[in-house]
Amino acid sequence: PPLPPTVDERQPASGSELATILVCDDDPSLRELVRAVLGPRYRFVEAADGAEALEIARETRPDLIVLDVMLPGLSGIEVLEAIRTDDALHELKVVVITAWSHAELEAQVAGADRFVSKPFDPDDLSRAVEELLA
């Protein structure tokens, strides 16, 4: 049988190969909301804090991360900075979500690809994810 495609060749949501999204938020109901909004087009892995998010990102190499800023332990900004300085992870797409509007600039400086404020409009989140995975 042919070898499975490499990450570079993989197209999100084509055939049976769904793009993997890491959802990192300390609120389980918010992680559930993100999964519900983005729906069955993606495969999800979850993390409840920053350290777990980095660990899972290194293990699973997701196609995109939806990252909350306010997390126990490492903040989302610290996680994002760690991702951007990690040779294996620096190209990951990251959508930062937060209720703190002043965190948008911090997130951009740290290397966020998109920013969605909480409470988020489901269409805003879907559009950000679709644009980044297109």
Side-chain angles (χ1 to χ4, degrees):
L3 293 170
T6 65
V7 174
D8 296 333
E9 295 167 339
R10 193 170 61 207
Q11 293 300 312
S14 68
S16 62
E17 190 62 56
L18 300 179
T20 300
I21 296 178
L22 167 56
V23 182
C24 182
D25 196 296
D26 55 334
D27 180 348
S29 61
L30 200 109
R31 294 196 306 267
E32 189 176 335
L33 178 62
V34 169
R35 288 196 320 267
V37 164
L38 297 177
R41 296 170 296 176
Y42 305 105
R43 192 171 78 83
F44 297 96
V45 289
E46 296 185 0
D49 63 51
E52 187 182 15
L54 281 173
E55 188 179 322
I56 292 172
R58 289 183 178 116
E59 285 170 11
T60 65
R61 302 295 293 277
D63 297 284
L64 182 137
I65 300 175
V66 176
L67 181 64
D68 187 27
V69 170
M70 294 300 297
L71 296 169
L74 291 174
S75 74
I77 300 296
E78 291 169 315
V79 171
L80 183 54
E81 288 169 343
I83 287 168
R84 291 298 181 236
T85 57
D86 184 317
D87 287 343
L89 303 177
H90 74 275
E91 292 190 11
L92 286 178
K93 304 290 185 208
V94 180
V95 176
V96 170
I97 52 174
T98 186
W100 292 20
S101 56
H102 72 268
E104 183 170 357
L105 181 61
E106 223 182 321
Q108 287 174 334
V109 168
D113 294 292
R114 291 285 189 287
F115 183 88
V116 178
S117 55
K118 277 198 226 177
F120 60 82
D121 178 324
D123 291 339
D124 288 347
L125 180 62
S126 292
R127 197 167 28 251
V129 168
E130 286 166 14
E131 285 170 7
L132 290 172
L133 292 177

